[in-house]
């Protein structure tokens, strides 16, 4: 059952991050990938800062959204330099 929550949180956080950074989502598959990578990145960043979300679904969603926003920001920086 936890795996289903991870997928749903990944889709939701990828969608929210896409809306925040670009003004539009990227589609279910890309939102899922961005959300999952964002969750890992957000967990790593929060771990470095000593922040704990307590394992709640809302805390996981916030962590994943922040990580996904950072991921999209980094991808945007790399994309601008190669153009």
């Amino acid at each position: 059952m936890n795996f289903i929550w991870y997928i749903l949180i990944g889709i939701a956080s990828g969608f929210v991050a896409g809306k925040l950074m670009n003004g539009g989502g990227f589609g279910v598959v890309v939102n899922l990938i961005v959300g999952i990578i964002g969750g890992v990145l957000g967990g790593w960043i929060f771990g470095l800062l000593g922040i704990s979300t307590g394992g709640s679904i809302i805390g996981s969603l916030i962590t994943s959204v922040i990580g996904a926003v950072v991921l999209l920001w980094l991808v945007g920086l790399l994309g601008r330099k190669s153009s």
Side-chain angles (χ1 to χ4, degrees):
M1 190 66 180
N2 285 339
F3 185 71
I4 293 172
W5 279 117
Y6 293 142
I7 291 174
L8 292 175
I9 289 172
I11 291 171
S13 63
F15 177 77
V16 170
K19 291 287 189 185
L20 289 173
M21 295 301 290
N22 267 3
F26 300 110
V28 175
V29 174
V30 176
N31 284 346
L32 175 63
I33 293 168
V34 168
I36 290 172
I37 295 171
V40 171
L41 182 61
W44 180 72
I45 291 170
F46 276 29
L48 287 176
L49 297 174
I51 300 171
S52 174
T53 59
S56 68
I57 293 174
I58 300 296
S60 297
L61 182 62
I62 291 169
T63 302
S64 187
V65 167
I66 290 173
V69 166
V70 169
L71 174 67
L72 292 175
W73 178 70
L74 290 172
V75 168
L77 284 178
L78 295 175
R80 281 190 218 135
K81 290 188 178 193
S82 64
S83 303

